[in-house]
């Protein structure tokens, strides 16, 4: 609050920002037989960033990633892999 008589701010506090990403969720990447090696590269990329991965029969699932991480993965591997991503806001946004 600004004190006009004293020409200074008093009782000034800031609310700490939430450190959780706005959107988070899971990403699934599928490969053709010709691009299966790209799943291995994506698995290594995700592991380097500390993401939780599961690789099964030509499908790689990455859990608990942020929107930024999903966009980076898509930009890097989207030309070679079929990528599907499901992100949500927690808690969900309320409308109305």
């Amino acid at each position: 609050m600004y004190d006009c008589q004293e020409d200074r701010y008093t009782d000034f506090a800031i609310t700490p920002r939430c450190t959780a990403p706005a959107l988070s969720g899971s990403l699934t990447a599928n490969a053709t037989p010709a691009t299966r090696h790209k799943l291995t590269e994506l698995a290594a990329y995700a592991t380097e960033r500390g993401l939780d991965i599961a690789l099964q029969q030509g499908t790689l699932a990455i859990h608990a990633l942020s929107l930024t991480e999903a966009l980076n993965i898509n930009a890097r591997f989207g030309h070679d892999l079929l990528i599907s991503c499901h992100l949500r806001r927690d808690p969900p946004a309320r409308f109305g």
Side-chain angles (χ1 to χ4, degrees):
M1 174 177 1
Y2 183 72
D3 183 352
C4 296
Q5 292 177 345
E6 298 292 324
D7 193 27
R8 66 186 174 103
Y9 286 98
T10 60
D11 299 323
F12 185 74
I14 58 171
T15 305
R17 293 183 60 164
C18 179
T19 58
L23 295 173
S24 63
S26 61
L27 179 143
T28 304
N30 294 302
T32 64
T35 61
R36 192 169 287 242
H37 66 282
K38 290 291 185 177
L39 281 181
T40 306
E41 290 178 27
L42 176 53
Y45 179 86
T47 302
E48 287 173 6
R49 280 146 186 80
L51 298 172
D52 181 27
I53 65 167
L55 180 60
Q56 293 181 343
Q57 300 176 351
T59 300
L60 176 67
I62 303 174
H63 304 286
L65 79 160
S66 69
L67 173 61
T68 303
E69 292 164 334
L71 291 172
N72 288 337
I73 288 170
N74 190 56
R76 185 167 178 173
F77 297 97
H79 297 290
D80 300 310
L81 301 172
L82 178 61
I83 295 176
S84 174
C85 191
H86 180 86
L87 301 174
R88 312 185 82 174
R89 182 178 181 272
D90 190 29
R94 302 277 184 226
F95 296 98

